[in-house]
Amino acid sequence: MTLESKATEHGLGEQGVWVLILGDLLIFSLFFLSLIYYGHLQPDIYARGQARLDFPLGLFNSLVLITSSILAALGLEAVRSGSAKGGGFFAAAMLCGLSFVAVKTIEYAEKMHTGVTIVSSEFFTFYFVFTGIHLGHVVAGLAALGLIRRAAEAGPVDAPTLALIESGVLFWHMVDLLWVMLFALFYILEWR
Amino acid sequence: MTIVFRNRRLVLCWACLIALTLASFKSGPMSRAADAELFQPIFVILLAGFKMRMIAMEFMQLRTAPVLLRFMIEIWILLLCVAILLMLFRA
């Protein structure tokens, strides 16, 4: 048995989650543009700050978040097809999300251990604030994944529950989407 | 059948995203080849924009979403990348 979403008139999930997503995307746009604006004024400070970031850890976190996204997407497909595997996919996505949180915490701790804090330079103010806000989104996304995992494992899913599961998965994809640009701007872009 | 096809498409998209992310080594600070001053920012921002579009279209299923919603997200990604590049290359 397959279950089709009734929410096709506004895409996946509940309409409200799209309002949340579009609002978040706009706010993060301002974050990205302010980082570029100030980085362009003092590229040397930003280049020095970037050199102190751990590129392999940032890359690892990117790979982990992309993998968690596909696991969540496969979980949704499993729920739609009536398969019992949905909960397992969501649990695996949560594990990836927890890895992201753990690695980010290690990164923060390592920075602070070497005397780098939020007030060390303008670059690190942006770094800690923007990645910190994103980390808050990851934690909220993990809570959402936990809820939808329980819903998926509770048994047959009706249309309203499916819309809720879709909403949680959408939020998780948005977290992944925002990290793509954060990773590019903080870890890869050469400031000059 | 549709589910299997869709899952294959998702896995293919994931593989592309992983490959593109690993390709960032080529342009990242650990690479010695990243000395093309002009093209590095363009490459990085366009690659990020392309990856964001892939996530939106395939994972968030905007490919099959209403046109207005799809249009809004695609325009947002495009405008964001253009604005970032314009700010990076302003005099």
Side-chain angles (χ1 to χ4, degrees):
Chain A
M1 186 196 79
T2 60
L3 190 59
E4 289 298 324
S5 169
K6 290 182 177 174
T8 49
E9 72 270 16
H10 51 74
L12 277 187
E14 301 282 350
Q15 202 162 6
V17 81
W18 281 107
V19 176
L20 178 74
I21 287 172
L22 291 171
D24 255 1
L25 294 183
L26 285 178
I27 290 169
F28 269 87
S29 304
L30 296 177
F31 290 174
F32 299 145
L33 293 177
S34 59
L35 174 69
I36 294 292
Y37 178 81
Y38 288 105
H40 193 66
L41 295 178
Q42 298 172 306
D44 292 346
I45 291 176
Y46 283 68
R48 279 200 298 275
Q50 188 185 53
R52 298 189 74 169
L53 293 183
D54 200 325
F55 182 74
L57 287 187
L59 183 68
F60 174 81
N61 262 352
S62 296
L63 299 176
V64 155
L65 218 48
I66 290 167
T67 303
S68 76
S69 241
I70 194 194
L71 289 168
L74 291 174
L76 178 60
E77 292 302 325
V79 169
R80 276 183 180 153
S81 65
S83 162
K85 290 178 183 169
F89 278 119
F90 292 135
M94 283 180 75
L95 204 62
C96 289
L98 287 169
S99 306
F100 180 94
V101 173
V103 168
K104 205 77 212 145
T105 308
I106 290 168
E107 241 187 309
Y108 286 162
E110 188 267 330
K111 291 283 158 297
M112 288 176 186
H113 185 70
T114 54
V116 175
T117 64
I118 195 167
V119 292
S120 292
S121 75
E122 197 176 273
F123 175 84
F124 281 108
T125 303
F126 279 126
Y127 171 77
F128 280 110
V129 171
F130 293 171
T131 60
I133 291 171
H134 179 265
L135 190 61
H137 280 71
V138 174
V139 172
L142 280 171
L145 281 178
L147 289 174
I148 63 178
R149 180 184 156 229
R150 281 177 64 180
E153 286 178 344
V157 172
D158 55 10
T161 310
L162 178 64
L164 280 176
I165 291 174
E166 287 175 349
S167 301
V169 170
L170 268 179
F171 184 83
W172 190 249
H173 292 322
M174 181 202 69
V175 169
D176 183 21
L177 188 138
L178 290 172
W179 177 256
V180 168
M181 190 54 88
L182 282 172
F183 176 63
L185 296 184
F186 279 113
Y187 291 85
I188 310 176
L189 186 71
E190 283 189 11
W191 297 95
R192 58 172 77 89
Chain B
M1 188 67 185
T2 311
I3 296 287
V4 172
F5 175 72
R6 172 138 177 78
N7 284 355
R8 271 191 199 155
R9 196 179 170 108
L10 285 172
V11 171
L12 191 66
C13 173
W14 169 78
C16 284
L17 286 167
I18 291 288
L20 291 173
T21 304
L22 289 172
S24 59
F25 255 120
K26 202 87 180 119
S27 60
M30 291 179 79
S31 166
R32 301 225 179 265
D35 54 359
E37 287 212 357
L38 179 65
F39 294 110
Q40 202 268 357
I42 298 174
F43 177 73
V44 168
I45 300 304
L46 290 186
L47 188 67
F50 182 69
K51 284 165 64 183
M52 289 166 89
R53 187 177 180 277
M54 278 185 88
I55 291 168
M57 289 298 121
E58 302 300 333
F59 290 170
M60 297 172 94
Q61 296 183 25
L62 282 179
R63 188 175 291 282
T64 54
V67 176
L68 182 64
L69 185 63
R70 179 180 168 166
F71 185 72
M72 279 197 294
I73 301 286
E74 286 203 276
I75 287 292
W76 173 76
I77 293 171
L78 182 69
L79 286 180
L80 180 66
C81 291
V82 169
I84 288 174
L85 287 173
L86 284 177
M87 289 176 81
L88 278 173
F89 289 103
R90 72 184 187 271

